[in-house]
Amino acid sequence: MKIARTAASSAALALIFSLTTPALAQNGGQTPEATQYGVTEEPGDASNGEAETSGTEVEPNRADDTGPTTTGQDATGSEAAQTGATGNSGSQNATGGSGEAPQTPNLTTEETQGGGSVERPAGSNAAEGGEAGASGSAAQARQRQEPDAWMETPDSWATFNGDLRAQKYSPADQITPENVDQLEKVWEYHTGDVSDGSGDIPTTVWSATPLFVNDTLYIGTPFYRIIALEPGTGKEKWSFDPHARLEALTQPAMKNRGVAYWQADEIQEGEACQKMVYIGTMDAKLYGVDADTGKPCASFGKDGMLDVNQWNTVNDKWPLSLLQAATVYHDTLFLGWAGKDWTNSAAPPGTVFALDARTGKLKWMFHALPNEVLETTGTANVWASMSIDPERGLLYLPISSPSPNYYGGERKQELPLATSVTALDTETGQVAWSRQLIHHDIWDYDTVAPPTLVDIQKDGQTVPALVQTSKQGFIYVLNRETGEPVYPIEERPVPASDVPGEEASPTQPFVDRPAPVIGDDWPGIDPLADAVSFGECSRRAEGYRWEGRFTPPSLQGTIAYPPTTGGSQWGGGAVDPETGIYVVNSNSVVQIYTLIPREEFEQGGQEGETSGYYAQGDAPYAFKLETFLNWAGMPCWKGPYGTIAAYDLKTGDRLWNEPFGQVQKYGFYMPESWGSVTIGGPVITKSGLIFIGASMDSRVRALDLATGEVLWKGLVDAPAVALPAVYTYKGRQYVTFVVGGNTILLPKVSDQVVTFALPE
Amino acid sequence: MSEISEPRTAGGAWLVVAASAVGALVAAFNVVDTGNGIAWSFGAWLVLVSSILVVIAGLILAWHLALSPVSRGIMAVLLLLGILGTGVAAYFLTAWILVVAMGVALVGWVIHVAADPSPLD
């Protein structure tokens, strides 16, 4: 029976791993048949009947043709919004005029550490601060600051990661390991914003953490609507529809990772837009609406819309997609963007924007790459969420790899900020410190998760630490004030490239403690898959190059372990700040990296955008990415394919490591010991529970933090790939999951929002 | 003069029919019950079809439509494969009622093979 089950399980896994490959790269690296930005399109393709010409989108400050609409209970909201906006703009004249798009024609540029630079409007206060920061003693120059009080309340879940420190921790303790099995669904809501890709609208990938703040649950949708719900019942308060273009301009799917919330320190009663909610779109527009009514804030951008693409001026081959919710700190929004680093070599260079939360005016703009390299490379952007130390005023960026992803022969310069974790001064945008995690990245090891900030007790001292997970499977624990390692990071020799033109870095940073989320060696050939393929797996493995971690891509094919799928993905980890227990889910996938000479690639008729092939612009080599499957589609490597682990940050010890989730294919569930590839991340509660969706079996789970044992499972409509929100409203603890699905895991999408609580 | 009489009731086969009919109903419900984790999936359709085939095979045996020993033997083997296959598939679908139904059908099959009369008895 066990053999039969294993055989059946292997067969059912057949096609899964053909789907779990490039799409886990930068925001889903699967080569999309996306509309080429700047190319005129036939009108009518967009949803809502909008006739759009994408070629005009590069012009900044273009008004939306249709204009946003709000629906909801508050019929008087419009007037309030207008009145409030006027009043608000009046008080903000020093930084921007009401109703005017925040053009920033006069920017000054300063260099910062690591070859980066910061641009800001000439004469801004930040510019003066920037000089101070650049003078050297940045740490001393930064004054201790206070977090936003509204963000620190224990009952709320006010940011994408729960708080600015990305701890993904709730002090709620009503639901415990002892009673969690009594959890029941208290309400569910369907947004209607879902597509399986069969129609005109690309398939949806919905990873939006719900926010609970202002006694309201705020949700962003993959059609870029904002919906405000009553947290206890799920009843809709209002919704805002920007009538966004529903086209896969940079990503293969319509994606959204939530909304951001801001509120003024001192609320002016009766004035609108003292509390605002923001959502970005695929085509680089950022909308700001009143949090109580959903009405656009006229003082923000132009009538509530800011065209961020106005700052996309270098290698602007596609728009700066605003899929990840902004990070809010005091009166500033910090905003990264997503693009595609597999299509072009020269691409928009990585930038992070600091914007005035009220007006959208640019405060500063950080560039991770020096200008002199931009003819042959780009990206090194921040597409994942960020974290902030609210007391120290430091913004922590997970910076991705430079383009093109898999060949660096034309970007051999040192790019110290690429594939790094970098701390910026929130006031000035200057680099406080940076630590490169991969030198000369040719594996697409984007730093993808926000570093988790936590103080840990080690050797009798309190260490202000930062925990950074990674695709490469290492867990870096650093001092977040200095960037110095808390646990050793060792430069070790790694294999050289044998591809003409490429020069792989001779060393890479290694971390042994905490233990990497996956092993040093690839898992080896799965006997069943090998038998089914009559030795195909073994024969192919012998022909590939594998010399351990960081074996460079090659012409004959390189076993990549971990590959672009990770390791750990954008969900990152969660920490209990009281105990220092850190939890992270991860994947164990083997992929094959093959470089293809340009001439051969073009003769082969590849257009550079077919599945598994990456043009990489005009680099000498294109690239083929394939998951290591046999003819039947079974994974050639041994499982488990996904795990979840807990670490004690005080000692660096791994406390437990368990297969997580179940593979599901054609409806069939595979053995739990196989685990599941996961997308999403965990949340920890004070009572010792871990709440997590992430797996492909459409289950949401509660685990015992002490042991990793699954204590409760709930069935939802699709894989819940978003972080859950845990909050307390009117004395009752709720856990809300956004259930959007992700075609990487399963061809199953949903628009479900579901909330669980203990019986009253 | 020999007397032609109705064959005696094949109780085991009828048990197979009853259990697999219940199974087919459950499988049909599983196909359309959106939110159960397997609705509209290939696996859900597969066990629905296989359950119906088991019902048909059971009826053939119960109604003594397969007269020759060879055809009855083949039908019994196919029925067993259908029951086991459906049961295993239901197990992987976590369709527990269907698993139980196939378990009962398996008992009926054993009774049929061991105790049911042949059509000419």
Side-chain angles (χ1 to χ4, degrees):
Chain A
M1 183 63 182
K2 186 177 180 181
I3 294 173
R5 181 180 181 124
T6 303
S9 302
S10 295
L13 263 175
L15 295 178
I16 291 167
F17 288 92
S18 62
L19 299 173
T20 56
T21 50
L24 277 170
Q26 176 165 322
N27 264 348
Q30 211 160 27
T31 51
E33 292 183 4
T35 307
Q36 290 299 305
Y37 201 66
V39 176
T40 303
E41 298 185 4
E42 292 299 319
D45 284 344
S47 70
N48 305 319
E50 287 187 62
E52 299 262 3
T53 305
S54 60
T56 63
E57 293 293 309
V58 293
E59 297 176 14
N61 309 317
R62 172 182 165 276
D64 189 272
D65 290 343
T66 308
T69 58
T70 303
T71 59
Q73 300 167 336
D74 190 342
T76 62
S78 180
E79 274 185 27
Q82 294 300 324
T83 307
T86 305
N88 191 34
S89 65
S91 66
Q92 293 299 314
N93 281 342
T95 52
S98 171
E100 292 295 321
Q103 284 276 23
T104 47
N106 299 314
L107 297 175
T108 61
T109 303
E110 294 169 2
E111 291 189 356
T112 186
Q113 298 177 48
S117 60
V118 182
E119 285 185 275
R120 62 173 59 86
S124 69
N125 292 336
E128 296 165 16
E131 288 165 12
S135 66
S137 55
Q140 287 88 346
R142 282 190 303 277
Q143 293 184 346
R144 194 164 183 85
Q145 302 184 38
E146 294 293 325
D148 294 290
W150 58 267
M151 203 180 283
E152 298 287 302
T153 58
D155 290 350
S156 70
W157 196 266
T159 77
F160 181 81
N161 295 301
D163 66 13
L164 285 178
R165 302 170 189 84
Q167 293 183 343
K168 303 178 190 111
Y169 173 80
S170 170
D173 58 2
Q174 199 174 85
I175 304 171
T176 68
E178 290 71 34
N179 64 22
V180 69
D181 60 342
Q182 300 169 35
L183 273 188
E184 61 181 23
K185 183 167 70 178
V186 291
W187 58 261
E188 71 175 277
Y189 174 88
H190 292 266
T191 68
D193 292 359
V194 64
S195 169
D196 62 4
S198 59
D200 292 337
I201 301 175
T203 188
T204 46
V205 170
W206 191 25
S207 314
T209 311
L211 303 190
F212 171 68
V213 63
N214 192 33
D215 280 349
T216 304
L217 203 62
Y218 297 104
I219 294 165
T221 80
F223 290 178
Y224 308 112
R225 290 197 305 139
I226 305 173
I227 298 172
L229 300 177
E230 155 66 34
T233 63
K235 185 180 177 185
E236 184 178 312
K237 290 184 169 182
W238 54 259
S239 68
F240 165 76
D241 187 353
H243 300 292
R245 294 176 64 184
L246 303 182
E247 298 175 47
L249 297 171
T250 62
Q251 305 293 308
M254 303 310 302
K255 294 184 179 181
N256 170 259
R257 281 201 297 278
V259 297
Y261 175 91
W262 164 86
Q263 72 177 47
D265 286 339
E266 295 180 5
I267 304 291
Q268 304 296 318
E269 291 300 329
E271 289 194 13
C273 298
Q274 300 291 293
K275 304 171 182 176
M276 291 173 63
V277 183
Y278 309 86
I279 191 166
T281 66
M282 180 83 82
D283 61 347
K285 292 180 173 62
L286 183 67
Y287 292 87
V289 305
D290 185 280
D292 290 327
T293 65
K295 303 297 181 187
C297 291
S299 59
F300 184 79
K302 184 175 183 181
D303 298 329
M305 187 274 285
L306 175 71
D307 189 345
V308 175
N309 220 47
Q310 66 181 290
W311 298 301
N312 184 11
T313 57
V314 179
N315 300 331
D316 54 338
K317 297 174 179 175
W318 23 260
L320 308 180
S321 293
L322 308 177
L323 309 177
Q324 173 67 50
T327 303
V328 178
Y329 177 56
H330 295 332
D331 291 337
T332 305
L333 309 178
F334 299 98
L335 196 63
W337 51 265
K340 43 182 178 179
D341 48 13
W342 55 90
T343 304
N344 306 107
S345 46
T351 42
V352 171
F353 305 101
L355 307 171
D356 186 294
R358 289 182 172 87
T359 65
K361 284 206 71 169
L362 182 69
K363 291 187 172 183
W364 50 257
M365 176 167 43
F366 164 77
H367 301 271
L369 295 176
N371 286 334
E372 53 267 27
V373 303
L374 298 183
E375 288 188 3
T376 56
T377 186
T379 62
N381 54 311
V382 179
W383 60 262
S385 62
M386 312 170 205
S387 48
I388 286 180
D389 184 331
E391 284 86 14
R392 292 172 175 81
L394 288 176
L395 171 70
Y396 298 93
L397 310 179
I399 299 183
S400 72
S401 63
S403 61
N405 276 337
Y406 305 102
Y407 178 73
E410 296 186 340
R411 51 170 171 86
K412 294 178 183 173
Q413 304 93 332
E414 285 194 5
L415 304 172
L417 301 183
T419 318
S420 73
V421 54
T422 295
L424 303 185
D425 187 309
T426 52
E427 288 294 318
T428 67
Q430 292 279 340
V431 172
W433 59 261
S434 179
R435 176 166 290 277
Q436 188 166 57
L437 307 181
I438 301 291
H439 309 313
H440 190 70
D441 189 347
I442 47 178
W443 299 271
D444 190 27
Y445 284 155
D446 295 345
T447 312
V448 292
T452 295
L453 315 184
V454 61
D455 292 344
I456 56 177
Q457 302 301 317
K458 185 171 184 296
D459 302 327
Q461 292 188 321
T462 300
V463 180
L466 164 161
V467 186
Q468 179 68 63
T469 56
S470 63
K471 283 187 177 183
Q472 55 269 28
F474 293 135
I475 298 174
Y476 307 87
V477 184
L478 309 176
N479 184 311
R480 67 176 181 271
E481 285 185 339
T482 64
E484 291 304 308
V486 174
Y487 294 104
I489 299 176
E490 186 180 337
E491 289 286 337
R492 294 177 189 165
V494 291
S497 174
D498 58 4
V499 173
E502 181 62 277
E503 291 179 20
S505 172
T507 65
Q508 293 289 354
F510 279 71
V511 178
D512 292 330
R513 175 173 286 266
V517 298
I518 59 171
D520 284 335
D521 203 357
W522 75 288
I525 292 293
D526 178 67
L528 180 62
D530 203 34
V532 169
S533 63
F534 303 104
E536 175 199 0
C537 292
S538 300
R539 286 193 299 275
R540 286 175 59 192
E542 289 171 6
Y544 293 136
R545 187 176 177 201
W546 170 254
E547 296 171 33
R549 284 183 188 270
F550 303 112
T551 304
S554 60
L555 296 173
Q556 79 266 30
T558 289
I559 288 177
Y561 185 79
T564 180
T565 54
S568 298
Q569 263 290 333
W570 59 258
V575 71
D576 181 341
E578 296 181 7
T579 62
I581 305 299
Y582 182 81
V583 173
V584 64
N585 54 298
S586 57
N587 302 316
S588 176
V589 175
V590 175
Q591 291 182 294
I592 309 301
Y593 284 8
T594 308
L595 290 169
I596 305 170
R598 174 67 49 198
E599 190 176 318
E600 187 180 318
F601 179 76
E602 289 173 357
Q603 286 176 351
Q606 304 295 345
E607 296 177 356
E609 294 295 342
T610 54
S611 179
Y613 287 90
Y614 297 76
Q616 301 202 122
D618 54 2
Y621 300 93
F623 182 76
K624 183 182 181 185
L625 178 66
E626 59 181 324
T627 304
F628 191 18
L629 308 175
N630 67 11
W631 66 268
M634 297 165 61
C636 282
W637 71 98
K638 297 173 186 170
Y641 306 107
T643 56
I644 187 167
Y647 298 84
D648 184 346
L649 294 178
K650 297 187 294 293
T651 61
D653 290 340
R654 184 159 59 194
L655 304 175
W656 48 262
N657 185 26
E658 298 291 334
F660 177 74
Q662 281 182 278
V663 168
Q664 187 182 21
K665 189 65 180 176
Y666 302 128
F668 299 110
Y669 297 95
M670 301 301 114
E672 292 184 351
S673 61
W674 288 25
S676 162
V677 175
T678 59
I679 300 176
V683 164
I684 292 176
T685 68
K686 183 180 181 180
S687 57
L689 287 171
I690 303 165
F691 287 101
I692 181 171
S695 64
M696 62 188 302
D697 58 0
S698 303
R699 258 67 176 181
V700 294
R701 290 173 166 83
L703 280 62
D704 189 336
L705 178 60
T707 63
E709 180 188 358
V710 176
L711 300 177
W712 169 83
K713 280 195 289 189
L715 179 64
V716 291
D717 288 354
V721 295
L723 303 174
V726 180
Y727 54 93
T728 304
Y729 177 65
K730 293 184 177 176
R732 192 179 189 193
Q733 182 182 345
Y734 296 90
V735 183
T736 297
F737 290 88
V738 154
V739 181
N742 189 318
T743 48
I744 296 167
L745 295 178
L746 205 66
K748 198 172 179 182
V749 292
S750 173
D751 62 348
Q752 184 188 33
V753 184
V754 58
T755 293
F756 299 90
L758 294 173
E760 285 188 290
Chain B
M1 189 171 91
S2 64
E3 183 176 310
I4 298 176
S5 60
E6 287 292 317
R8 288 183 291 148
T9 300
W14 280 112
L15 183 58
V16 169
V17 170
S20 55
V22 170
L25 288 173
V26 170
F29 182 72
N30 285 341
V31 169
V32 300
D33 180 28
T34 301
N36 63 8
I38 59 172
W40 308 107
S41 68
F42 171 79
W45 282 107
L46 182 69
V47 293
L48 172 60
V49 170
S50 64
S51 298
I52 292 171
L53 291 175
V54 170
V55 173
I56 293 171
L59 286 171
I60 289 173
L61 293 179
W63 283 337
H64 303 293
L65 299 179
L67 294 177
S68 73
V70 173
S71 61
R72 279 186 284 120
I74 291 173
M75 190 56 62
V77 170
L78 291 177
L79 181 60
L80 177 63
L81 292 176
I83 292 169
L84 293 178
T86 304
V88 170
Y91 174 75
F92 281 108
L93 291 169
T94 64
W96 304 121
I97 297 176
L98 186 55
V99 171
V100 171
M102 287 303 114
V104 175
L106 185 61
V107 172
W109 182 88
V110 171
I111 293 171
H112 173 75
V113 170
D116 274 359
S118 76
L120 302 179
D121 284 345

